[in-house]
Amino acid sequence: MTKDPAITPELVAQHGITPEEYENILKILGREPNYTELGIFSVMWSEHCSYKNTKPLLKQFPTRSKKILVGAGEENAGIIDIGDNLAIAFKMESHNHPSAVEPFQGAATGVGGIIRDIFTMGARPICAMNSLRFGNLSSPEVQRLFRGVVGGIAHYGNCFGIPTIAGEVCFDDSYEGNPLVNAFCLGVLRHEQIARGAAKGIGNPVFYVGPATGRDGLAGAAFASQDLTEASAEQQRGAVQVGDPFMEKLVMEACLELLAAKDAVAGIQDMGAAGLTCSTCETAARAGTGIEIELSKVPQRATGMTPYEIMLSESQERMLIIVNKGHEAEVQRIFDKWDLPWSEIGVVTDTGRMVVKNHGQVVANIPAAKIANDSPVYHRDSKEPAYMQGVRAYRVNSLSDTTSPAKDLEMLLQTPTIASKNWVYRQYDHMVRDGSVVCPGSDAAVVRIKGDSLPMLPDGAAESVPAGIEKFIALSVDGNGVYVYLDPYEGSKTVVAECARNLACSGATPLGSTDNLNFGNPHNPELFFQLKESVRGLAEACAAFNAPVTGGNVSLYNQNPMGAIDPTPTLALVGLIEKKEHITTQWFKDEGDVIILLGDAVDSADPNLGLGGSAYLMAKHDVKNGLPPRCDLKKEKAVQDLTLECIRSGWIKSAHDCSEGGLAVCLAESCFSKNVALNTPVFKGAKIDLSGVKSSRLDALLFGETQSRVVVSTSADHAEQVLAKAQASSVPATVIGKVTGCCKAATLDITTATASTLSWSIPALHSLWWNALAEIMD
Amino acid sequence: MNFSVLQFPGSNCDQDCVHVLKNVLGHNARLLWHKDTSLGDTDAVIVPGGFSYGDYLRTGAIARYSNIMAAVKQFADRGGLVLGICNGFQILCEAGLLPGALIRNKGISFRCEFVWLRTGNPDTPFTCKAPEGTLLRIPIAHGEGCYFADAETLKQMEENGQILWRYCDRHGNTTPESNPNGSLLNIAGICNAQKNVAGLMPHPERASEKILSGHDGRILLESMVQFLENRKRS
Amino acid sequence: MKAKITVTPKKAVLDPQGKTVQTALEHIGFTGIKDVRIGKYIEIELEGTDREAALKSISQASHKILSNPVIEDYSVEIE
Amino acid sequence: MKAKITVTPKKAVLDPQGKTVQTALEHIGFTGIKDVRIGKYIEIELEGTDREAALKSISQASHKILSNPVIEDYSVEIE
Ligand SMILES: Nc1ncnc2c1ncn2[C@@H]1O[C@H](COP(=O)(O)OP(=O)(O)O)[C@@H](O)[C@H]1O
Ligand SMILES: [Mg+2]
């Protein structure tokens, strides 16, 4: 056996452990750590596992509501009550750095990881989403990353059999070389099926199930907690993790079956980042127990693996299960049925210590609670970034108004961030499990929960949810790095508002949220400022929309040699639609329907008239500057509530929010985004009259991104009711036009006070928008 | 009717099939584990979609050697109705119960979307409720759905009325643009010479309820039911 | 012993991956490529030393499961 | 000329396909199998006759396009 290296200050530093942290380790152990222990501390105290730089910030998030059954930070994912004894578990997690190194496998294993977090809770995963960021798509390298990431997500999700039902993709230079891959998963369970990641019951055996351990992604958690430089990518120790979705599907089915075996499971936890290390000490810490494992019993794929390697390996699709004594045979029966490897590797003890042995010899002995809970906490310095002054001073009137609005819309619809993402989502199976009610392509996705969405019950157990139950869950994920870069606090509020608006447009009320904080190096005070202010904004907005945060993930050190990425918090919101009839989509339905704009056409109090940080400003003028449109949360809430009330009253046929690209893009999408089959889009025209709207700039009117706006359509006889309701709620509402004829001749006509009537062919616009990504990628 | 839906490691449309047969169409449907050796009392077998054995090596290649497939073969030889959907179609081809093979989509990547299908021969248990030329709108979700068979086989199948569904446009024309995967002759689904075993890449079980943006898939499943009812009666 | 099996798509069978790779190669400047075909390569580590027996059993496996005769050809080598 | 390239998963990297196929082979009665690895086999038909040049350019292509050097190894043969 190779001898462990001696513990030197250099070795400690290589493990990303500071001298102060090392002092703390000496105190906790009462002696010097050995090599394996040093490795264990380094991964557990990495940002990825310990949140040492962000814990104080995350405290600001609203985390409670009457419906929350398992809250943020308690377990692998939060759980929310949705009535009738049903609950949902959901979470989002990043796999940014692995995806930069190997886009296909990095993204695939990201999906695998988040799915495990969900079934670890005892829930059956029923849908997935993803939020992606890449550099400029004109670069072949970016195309390679984009293709690889989408391919990897498709590979894992499709094979596993989970519908990837929504997501978002943005392209911006700041993500060059450091793509963001945030994966989300949602599962369902009955209240009594919630499983816990706690090593309960002294003397209970500890099982390892799933494939053998190899030298995969050694110290991946620590790797995720460093700046991404070429050198670190090259140096990443160990082999790239390869995902095996087939294996994960079997592991999930077996775990759910085992969880249904009465009294068999005392605790269960997936081996995610920091693998065996994290799962053993966290389960022990949660239960206030100790745990002892024998490494020679861990199934191993490679020969000659050291304790250090086994403990730090990030081989995928593995689970740790604490079994109630006397039920060992159940594990054997079920895992044999699924032809899965399993091994009894240890026992729960009363020592409070995590003891790791290799062939009987102790190789690590650490107080479990201390390493899991007493990680260092840092209050980093923060300083407003220097660029902010310029941003505040920027005025859009330094640019002249558009003289080519017709071309501008065509151009915007083709910009990769705005263009249809069908090239992406048609690679994802988004219909498996017979629950996809609103597929990708509308504001929020809607998924149906039905009886067979649930994990199995114990043999002979009575069903605890009403027969024939159906529930409808809406989901959306959003983020706008440019807004947050230009104004971390206000921009982050907008992120939440937009996401909630998507939900409102689909007919849903928020239940809760999960977030992923993708930022740069927290040691840089300016970057830490972005993080701090952003969290403040997110927290405030999540509270405003009654969307408590049930969990999430932090990914720092997202930089490339040119600097940090735009600060990119992504937020996923989950909501409930009360009745089937309330499910609403974004496309216009019938000729003659009245089109109403809820909200202000242009925010005249905004010196940039909604153009600061807009897609228009960047695409047309190559300017990433100016304070982005502000979101007044009260006003926003009023618009959303109004939208929902009108939907519930049965007045609304379509609802689409104005976001990137503004009103013109929103209207165009409402005309052509319905697609019934391959090469079969459904077109509607629209005749819009904005001549009554005062706006000093045409570009601001058409493409400005003033917040809190929704375009709805209603049958002629309900228009008055919508307007009256709006007035009663003090929300501005304006009839702006009518839905016109369909088919090939459909046009979008917009009359404004300043320009002659603009007219676009809907099939022509659609073709630009629909094919833009495919034209670059295929 | 009693339907049996097979369950291989990696099947993932098995529950969907049971849901539609049971909750939507009101028949008996149960799952059969791949290690089982007998079909028991069954009127028809569904080989569902998914990624049996991860689709590793070749789609359907490993599943065909499971215990249950031997029983399915016997059942089919005795005239039993067998329908393979997506991965199930691939398995039936690998098992030799259907001619030809399914290879990688022409465009390489996986495709999930609704497509139009034109029904061929109406004289089979799978199409009897759909007059010839009936258009169906049903989703596909596959990476390896490009149908291939040698020219001789194709000719025989055409003459025999074994080509049951072809990809087409919304007007029923079998154009290259309406072919999502490069299948020869725009083939989406076929049956064997005896017409009791069929397979198709699209997923009728995903399009059997109004709320799932389409219900044309029911026509196919209801055809099987009608055929079975008629057979029982006579 | 080691068995090395190559499985290639039959001539008549469309090979879209091959086509894609060919285009990609041409795109980055490789010239003079007449055709690209993509198949599978399988390496099987075997116990024992009887090469004849190994060849027989691996050929059988290749025929039965490792390749599909409708669309693929295979060749086996024992090392 | 013909170039034959085999691309195999790196030793340390998990090969889910190989593992699954190994189990399947055992299941249908093939014994004595210690390990299965599955990779790609690529055949490129080339113009010209300069084997040295071909080897060089194909090796380059293998590194850049035909294999993924992060997780795969390759070997090239010119015939
Ligand atoms: N990566 C992705 N995966 C799945 N669906 C996606 C992805 N990106 C975008 N979509 C879908 O495309 C549609 C438009 O997305 P987006 O433009 O981000 O919407 P919005 O601006 O309303 O948030 C949505 O239905 C979304 O779910
Ligand atoms: Mg939207």
Side-chain angles (χ1 to χ4, degrees):
Chain A
M1 219 152 93
T2 49
K3 238 179 103 53
D4 284 343
I7 309 296
T8 61
E10 293 75 51
L11 190 71
V12 171
Q14 266 170 29
H15 279 76
I17 293 172
T18 65
E20 304 81 68
E21 287 169 359
Y22 189 68
E23 281 304 309
N24 201 5
I25 293 174
L26 294 181
K27 231 185 280 159
I28 288 174
L29 292 179
R31 60 177 164 81
E32 228 183 38
N34 63 33
Y35 183 52
T36 303
E37 290 168 337
L38 186 70
I40 289 174
F41 274 99
S42 87
V43 292
M44 286 303 293
W45 286 4
S46 67
E47 177 62 36
H48 192 86
C49 293
S50 74
Y51 298 97
K52 59 186 172 189
N53 294 300
T54 47
K55 238 186 215 165
L57 299 181
L58 300 179
K59 289 212 176 92
Q60 299 172 67
F61 282 140
T63 56
R64 278 170 218 283
S65 87
K66 278 199 295 263
K67 293 184 179 141
I68 293 195
L69 303 177
V70 175
E74 275 182 60
E75 294 279 349
N76 292 286
I79 295 191
I80 298 184
D81 178 14
I82 57 167
D84 292 313
N85 200 42
L86 288 171
I88 52 175
F90 60 84
K91 193 179 171 191
M92 183 152 60
E93 192 150 283
S94 64
H95 234 211
N96 302 339
H97 286 191
S99 303
V101 175
E102 212 310 280
F104 186 95
Q105 295 297 345
T109 50
V111 173
I114 195 65
I115 292 176
R116 277 197 299 287
D117 270 333
I118 298 309
F119 73 75
T120 296
M121 298 304 301
R124 180 176 276 284
I126 61 159
C127 66
M129 301 197 280
N130 57 92
S131 168
L132 313 175
R133 298 289 182 284
F134 302 93
N136 192 322
L137 196 55
S138 58
S139 131
E141 172 60 11
V142 172
Q143 291 167 19
R144 182 186 74 88
L145 290 170
F146 182 37
R147 177 175 284 110
V149 164
V150 170
I153 292 171
H155 164 68
Y156 209 100
N158 298 353
C159 180
F160 181 85
I162 190 166
T164 301
I165 197 171
E168 53 151 9
V169 193
C170 301
F171 302 89
D172 186 280
D173 292 345
S174 85
Y175 306 106
E176 203 83 54
N178 195 132
L180 303 184
V181 176
N182 295 175
F184 167 102
C185 180
L186 179 141
V188 220
L189 70 170
R190 300 172 185 83
H191 285 196
E192 70 274 16
Q193 290 180 311
I194 297 174
R196 298 283 178 169
K200 279 198 223 129
I202 315 296
N204 275 340
V206 175
F207 278 79
Y208 169 115
V209 302
T213 297
R215 292 190 176 90
D216 305 328
L218 274 184
F223 170 65
S225 307
Q226 293 164 9
D227 283 358
L228 187 60
T229 62
E230 219 145 291
S232 74
E234 282 295 330
Q235 259 171 30
Q236 191 203 13
R237 288 161 295 172
V240 164
Q241 297 134 274
V242 168
D244 184 353
F246 168 59
M247 177 61 83
E248 177 133 313
K249 162 85 173 160
L250 304 189
V251 170
M252 175 197 66
E253 294 293 353
C255 285
L256 293 181
E257 207 168 318
L258 182 63
L259 285 165
K262 208 160 177 324
D263 300 328
V265 175
I268 179 166
Q269 166 126 4
D270 65 306
M271 297 190 214
L276 205 46
T277 292
C278 190
S279 54
T280 48
C281 63
E282 278 190 9
T283 47
R286 279 202 198 102
T289 55
I291 199 163
E292 185 176 316
I293 58 171
E294 168 56 56
L295 294 183
S296 63
K297 294 188 179 158
V298 171
Q300 291 164 41
R301 199 173 81 230
T303 49
M305 288 186 70
T306 65
Y308 178 97
E309 290 173 327
I310 298 171
M311 289 305 289
L312 268 56
S313 158
E314 296 198 347
S315 290
Q316 301 288 302
E317 292 95 21
R318 303 174 303 161
M319 305 288 289
L320 192 78
I321 304 182
I322 294 96
V323 175
N324 282 317
K325 210 166 175 49
H327 290 270
E328 292 87 342
E330 295 283 301
V331 180
Q332 177 171 357
R333 178 179 64 81
I334 291 168
F335 282 81
D336 282 352
K337 169 185 166 190
W338 289 95
D339 296 317
L340 287 169
W342 56 270
S343 169
E344 187 177 330
I345 61 164
V347 65
V348 178
T349 66
D350 61 1
T351 61
R353 301 185 78 87
M354 166 203 198
V355 177
V356 182
K357 292 184 176 170
N358 193 28
H359 298 285
Q361 200 187 341
V362 175
V363 293
N365 185 344
I366 303 172
K370 281 229 170 344
I371 190 167
N373 305 333
D374 289 9
S375 54
V377 172
Y378 297 112
H379 298 266
R380 298 275 171 218
D381 292 339
S382 101
K383 192 177 103 203
E384 186 185 275
Y387 68 79
M388 289 285 298
Q389 226 178 344
V391 169
R392 273 195 295 268
Y394 181 85
R395 287 295 175 270
V396 75
N397 52 26
S398 58
L399 298 170
S400 50
D401 196 357
T402 182
T403 52
S404 54
K407 280 224 176 65
D408 294 342
L409 178 59
E410 288 165 10
M411 173 212 45
L412 278 174
L413 290 173
Q414 290 177 80
T415 54
T417 297
I418 290 179
S420 166
K421 303 302 181 298
N422 72 84
W423 183 86
V424 176
Y425 61 72
R426 74 165 194 229
Q427 296 186 51
Y428 302 153
D429 186 339
H430 48 261
M431 298 184 215
V432 62
R433 301 201 62 82
D434 268 6
S436 303
V437 174
V438 177
C439 292
S442 191
D443 275 327
V446 178
V447 62
R448 166 179 68 171
I449 293 173
K450 57 189 195 305
D452 65 9
S453 311
L454 292 161
M456 69 177 71
L457 284 169
D459 265 346
E463 179 56 89
S464 56
V465 302
I469 189 98
E470 272 192 336
K471 298 245 174 206
F472 299 95
I473 298 285
L475 313 92
S476 175
V477 57
D478 256 299
N480 187 324
V482 178
Y483 283 10
V484 179
Y485 168 78
L486 295 171
D487 192 341
Y489 168 69
E490 291 289 341
S492 297
K493 288 199 321 202
T494 308
V495 167
V496 183
E498 263 204 54
C499 203
R501 209 182 304 142
N502 282 333
L503 246 54
C505 288
S506 73
T509 326
L511 287 164
S513 60
T514 172
D515 66 291
N516 207 125
L517 303 173
N518 306 279
F519 287 79
N521 188 332
H523 296 266
N524 176 331
E526 296 197 340
L527 299 181
F528 191 72
F529 176 91
Q530 295 176 338
L531 177 58
K532 197 178 105 196
E533 288 298 289
S534 170
V535 171
R536 187 163 72 88
L538 293 172
E540 203 178 309
C542 284
F545 297 108
N546 300 320
V549 177
T550 65
N553 182 240
V554 175
S555 168
L556 305 181
Y557 308 93
N558 287 293
Q559 352 218 129
N560 60 32
M562 262 119 67
I565 60 162
D566 282 351
T568 310
T570 56
L571 188 98
L573 258 181
V574 177
L576 190 66
I577 301 179
E578 277 166 16
K579 289 203 182 124
K580 188 150 70 179
E581 300 73 48
H582 299 169
I583 298 167
T584 306
T585 46
Q586 72 181 29
W587 37 85
F588 292 145
K589 302 293 180 308
D590 299 297
E591 189 170 346
D593 285 350
V594 175
I595 302 168
I596 299 175
L597 173 66
L598 306 180
D600 291 315
V602 177
D603 177 3
S604 46
D606 175 356
N608 292 321
L609 302 171
L611 287 171
S614 66
Y616 169 81
L617 215 56
M618 283 193 295
K620 176 148 183 182
H621 298 288
D622 199 20
V623 170
K624 191 197 267 188
N625 210 346
L627 285 178
R630 275 181 168 245
C631 181
D632 176 332
L633 295 178
K634 262 220 198 93
K635 212 161 154 188
E636 176 73 42
K637 185 81 171 44
V639 170
Q640 291 184 21
D641 287 347
L642 172 66
T643 308
L644 272 174
E645 278 172 48
C646 293
I647 287 176
R648 290 190 188 130
S649 305
W651 302 333
I652 300 284
K653 289 200 190 172
S654 76
H656 187 20
D657 75 311
C658 291
S659 58
E660 278 132 325
L663 184 58
V665 166
C666 171
L667 288 167
E669 286 177 349
S670 304
C671 288
F672 59 49
S673 54
K674 179 171 189 185
N675 185 52
V676 295
L678 171 64
N679 295 328
T680 322
V682 177
F683 299 136
K684 287 282 175 299
K687 206 167 189 63
I688 305 294
D689 184 357
L690 299 175
S691 55
V693 180
K694 284 206 191 66
S695 169
S696 52
R697 294 180 68 107
L698 184 60
D699 52 7
L701 176 62
L702 295 175
F703 312 117
E705 298 176 7
T706 290
Q707 290 300 299
S708 313
R709 293 185 298 165
V710 173
V711 169
V712 300
S713 69
T714 151
S715 66
D717 29 321
H718 288 311
E720 281 310 318
Q721 281 153 302
V722 172
L723 294 174
K725 188 97 196 167
Q727 194 167 30
S729 331
S730 311
V731 172
T734 322
V735 171
I736 56 169
K738 266 200 166 57
V739 178
T740 60
C742 55
C743 312
K744 293 223 168 67
T747 56
L748 169 63
D749 303 320
I750 303 184
T751 311
T752 62
T754 46
S756 53
T757 297
L758 298 159
S759 182
W760 294 271
S761 146
I762 285 297
L765 287 184
H766 172 266
S767 155
L768 296 174
W769 174 79
W770 183 259
N771 298 318
L773 289 187
E775 237 142 60
I776 299 171
M777 299 304 296
D778 286 344
Chain B
M1 292 300 143
N2 292 321
F3 284 88
S4 293
V5 178
L6 308 190
Q7 199 177 32
F8 299 98
S11 293
N12 60 35
C13 306
D14 43 344
Q15 283 186 340
D16 299 359
C17 290
V18 170
H19 162 71
V20 168
L21 292 166
K22 222 159 114 174
N23 306 332
V24 181
L25 301 179
H27 295 279
N28 295 323
R30 61 187 175 134
L31 294 168
L32 278 187
W33 187 235
H34 68 109
K35 289 178 186 169
D36 289 348
T37 49
S38 142
L39 296 177
D41 178 21
T42 198
D43 297 304
V45 172
I46 309 279
V47 193
F51 284 68
S52 57
Y53 296 93
D55 269 1
Y56 295 143
L57 188 63
R58 244 181 6 265
T59 57
I62 300 178
R64 70 164 283 206
Y65 285 103
S66 58
N67 292 343
I68 198 71
M69 281 307 292
V72 170
K73 206 159 187 162
Q74 276 181 8
F75 179 73
D77 287 346
R78 290 198 315 263
L81 280 200
V82 180
L83 175 69
I85 300 169
C86 197
N87 192 229
F89 183 16
Q90 295 161 338
I91 294 170
L92 293 177
C93 287
E94 281 283 339
L97 285 168
L98 289 172
L102 293 141
I103 59 173
R104 182 66 86 95
N105 290 353
K106 195 171 171 203
I108 304 247
S109 34
F110 191 95
R111 295 197 67 157
C112 174
E113 59 202 317
F114 271 89
V115 295
W116 297 101
L117 302 177
R118 199 179 70 197
T119 317
N121 187 356
D123 258 348
T124 78
F126 309 93
T127 51
C128 54
K129 281 194 80 171
E132 184 156 4
T134 302
L135 289 193
L136 305 177
R137 199 177 59 86
I138 296 181
I140 53 166
H142 60 247
E144 276 148 330
C146 173
Y147 185 79
F148 174 87
D150 59 44
E152 182 56 27
T153 310
L154 285 175
K155 190 163 150 254
Q156 266 175 23
M157 289 200 319
E158 267 195 300
E159 283 167 2
N160 260 334
Q162 286 172 252
I163 303 178
L164 301 189
W165 302 280
R166 289 183 208 233
Y167 301 110
C168 63
D169 66 16
R170 62 197 306 185
H171 308 294
N173 307 309
T174 49
T175 59
E177 296 75 39
S178 56
N179 183 345
N181 53 30
S183 284
L184 294 180
L185 305 179
N186 277 38
I187 287 175
I190 58 166
C191 66
N192 61 349
Q194 295 73 35
K195 315 234 166 30
N196 65 319
V197 179
L200 78 168
M201 289 314 294
H203 286 270
E205 84 283 12
R206 293 186 187 182
S208 290
E209 293 171 87
K210 265 217 172 100
I211 190 148
L212 298 181
S213 359
H215 50 280
D216 291 355
R218 286 178 70 146
I219 296 175
L220 198 159
L221 299 171
E222 283 169 351
S223 292
M224 291 175 75
V225 171
Q226 179 174 311
F227 173 86
L228 289 169
E229 276 169 356
N230 288 345
R231 191 163 74 177
K232 274 213 169 136
R233 234 175 274 135
S234 61
Chain C
M1 276 181 309
K2 198 185 251 177
K4 295 177 168 184
I5 304 114
T6 53
V7 177
T8 44
K10 278 197 157 78
K11 271 269 136 57
V13 174
L14 196 73
D15 176 17
Q17 278 175 291
K19 278 275 155 297
T20 308
V21 167
Q22 182 167 352
T23 318
L25 286 170
E26 283 161 359
H27 193 77
I28 63 164
F30 285 92
T31 51
I33 297 175
K34 286 200 287 193
D35 191 33
V36 179
R37 304 288 285 175
I38 299 195
K40 275 196 273 277
Y41 173 72
I42 305 164
E43 244 177 45
I44 304 185
E45 199 78 61
L46 292 163
E47 279 164 10
T49 51
D50 184 343
R51 303 180 52 157
E52 202 110 325
L55 182 64
K56 214 176 122 196
S57 100
I58 292 296
S59 299
Q60 224 179 58
S62 301
H63 188 75
K64 256 184 111 167
I65 185 167
L66 301 178
S67 78
N68 177 347
V70 177
I71 45 172
E72 294 166 330
D73 297 320
Y74 66 86
S75 75
V76 180
E77 210 180 283
I78 307 286
E79 215 171 56
Chain D
M1 277 180 310
K2 197 184 250 176
K4 295 178 167 183
I5 303 110
T6 54
V7 178
T8 45
K10 279 195 161 73
K11 262 267 136 54
V13 167
L14 178 73
D15 175 18
Q17 285 217 65
K19 273 274 154 295
T20 307
V21 169
Q22 180 171 351
T23 318
L25 285 169
E26 283 159 6
H27 179 77
I28 61 171
F30 291 92
T31 51
I33 296 173
K34 287 199 288 191
D35 192 33
V36 178
R37 305 287 285 175
I38 299 193
K40 273 193 299 235
Y41 172 73
I42 303 161
E43 250 178 39
I44 305 185
E45 200 77 60
L46 291 163
E47 280 163 10
T49 52
D50 184 342
R51 302 181 53 157
E52 202 110 324
L55 183 65
K56 214 177 123 197
S57 86
I58 293 296
S59 300
Q60 228 177 58
S62 301
H63 188 77
K64 273 182 133 160
I65 285 198
L66 304 177
S67 79
N68 178 349
V70 183
I71 49 174
E72 293 169 331
D73 294 324
Y74 64 86
S75 77
V76 180
E77 211 180 281
I78 307 286
E79 216 171 58

